Amino acid sequence: MTTDAEPDGFESWLRGRVPERGLRSKGASVLQVLLTQPRRVSYSSAAEAAELAGVNVATVSRTAQTLGFSGWSDLQQELRARYLSSLSAPEVAAAQQTEGELGGASLRRDLDSLAVLNRRLDEQLLRTIAEAIAQSRRTVVVANGSYFSVGSALGHNVQLAGYEATVVHDDAELANAISRIEPGDVLIAISFWRLYQSTVTAAEEAHDRGARVFALTDAASPALAAASERIVLIPAEGVAFFPSLAPGLAVAQAIAAQLSTVDPERTRRSIEAAEAQWSRFRLLHRQPRRD
């Protein structure tokens, strides 16, 4: 069992199987999915793993062979064992919980996903996105359905940090927003599990207009990947029909936190101005003073 002193034993094991010559770009995409979504791919077919990585099944099989396995099934079996061995006892219990009371299981699954995210997320990528937002004229955040909660949190905090941001979830409003996109603007596409076509179209159009496009998703859709400068792969598997939103919200908060460090004085002034207006509009409930 991996200890706290060895949190990246799983990653070290998998990266250690990569040949010295490295992997080609598509093989690297498969490796990235194995690293960021180990539980999901350890129970997926080769076709499902290929869809997550944005490649074909043959590429998944070749990558497995390049990593020293006879094929996907052989890699999958070892992956599952190594993944479970990398978790603490509570994380193992969460990973194996599929029946019974799903309320508690959902909470444990979120903790499991956050643990994976914490080990795998590239902090330089967070800095890249934060700096792009800070340098842009404005940021458009696209999120639909339940994922709107992730986009809303990100957009709200980008504004609070002192930068122009718009959160869009209506398709007509999205079309209008994209029509105003200019070179150097930023579009952040947020979608998990089943991608909304409007989100992919927005990313493609923004890219064609010269905007910097970033995606927060759990699957490397070929179309979304082609339109995006960088993709943040986020585990989003839930215990029931609903995908988990906790890791996506955690990444949104991490981007906002990083953004606050780009120009601390600007963020300070923005927060002070917002606080003054909250008081002016009497937005916050205040307990009466007791003498």
Side-chain angles (χ1 to χ4, degrees):
M1 183 70 66
T2 299
T3 66
D4 290 340
E6 300 173 317
D8 291 319
F10 170 83
E11 181 172 0
S12 297
W13 163 75
L14 192 54
R15 290 192 183 279
R17 301 187 72 97
V18 177
E20 290 184 2
R21 66 179 183 278
L23 298 171
R24 295 183 178 180
S25 60
K26 291 184 178 180
S29 295
V30 175
L31 177 65
Q32 184 69 8
V33 168
L34 297 178
L35 289 171
T36 58
Q37 303 186 64
R39 184 188 188 282
R40 185 171 182 179
V41 294
S42 69
Y43 292 93
S44 298
S45 66
E48 291 168 336
E51 182 177 0
L52 286 171
V55 300
N56 56 38
V57 175
T59 298
V60 170
S61 297
R62 284 195 299 271
T63 302
Q65 292 167 358
T66 301
L67 294 174
F69 298 94
S70 61
W72 172 250
S73 296
D74 187 21
L75 168 58
Q76 185 182 48
Q77 183 178 356
E78 182 73 5
L79 180 71
R80 187 175 302 155
R82 291 277 181 169
Y83 167 65
L84 291 174
S85 71
S86 74
L87 303 179
S88 66
E91 289 170 342
V92 169
Q96 294 179 332
Q97 177 69 51
T98 57
E99 299 178 351
E101 297 295 330
L102 293 187
S106 179
L107 292 174
R108 293 188 291 273
R109 178 64 55 78
D110 282 347
L111 290 172
D112 174 28
S113 296
L114 287 168
V116 171
L117 178 66
N118 183 53
R119 291 196 292 267
R120 309 288 181 240
L121 189 62
D122 180 3
E123 291 196 28
Q124 178 56 50
L125 181 52
L126 297 180
R127 287 192 290 271
T128 297
I129 297 174
E131 289 169 0
I133 293 172
Q135 295 165 5
S136 69
R137 179 179 64 98
R138 68 166 181 159
T139 295
V140 176
V141 180
V142 183
N144 286 287
S146 59
Y147 320 134
F148 179 68
S149 60
V150 179
S152 179
L154 178 59
H156 175 83
N157 286 331
V158 167
Q159 293 173 348
L160 194 57
Y163 301 91
E164 183 66 28
T166 302
V167 184
V168 185
H169 64 96
D170 175 81
D171 285 354
E173 183 183 356
L174 177 57
N176 293 336
I178 295 301
S179 73
R180 298 190 294 272
I181 285 280
E182 296 180 3
D185 287 349
V186 167
L187 181 133
I188 299 179
I190 300 175
S191 192
F192 300 95
W193 190 25
R194 296 175 178 174
L195 299 179
Y196 285 88
Q197 180 58 49
S198 58
T199 300
V200 175
T201 300
E204 293 173 334
E205 287 293 317
H207 175 268
D208 290 344
R209 288 172 170 268
R212 300 182 68 180
V213 179
F214 301 95
L216 309 187
T217 183
D218 64 336
S221 157
L224 190 58
S228 301
E229 177 179 328
R230 298 291 300 274
I231 289 180
V232 184
L233 285 174
I234 304 169
E237 183 182 6
V239 297
F241 176 80
F242 316 103
S244 172
L245 299 176
L249 283 167
V251 170
Q253 294 297 90
I255 292 172
Q258 188 64 46
L259 179 60
S260 71
T261 69
V262 176
D263 188 343
E265 181 60 23
R266 175 173 181 166
T267 297
R268 183 190 63 78
R269 291 196 304 269
S270 177
I271 292 174
E272 288 180 350
E275 179 76 22
Q277 292 305 313
W278 296 343
S279 297
R280 177 69 179 84
F281 280 81
R282 298 180 179 178
L283 296 182
L284 303 180
H285 174 71
R286 298 183 182 279
Q287 294 282 2
R289 294 183 60 182
R290 295 181 179 179
D291 297 330

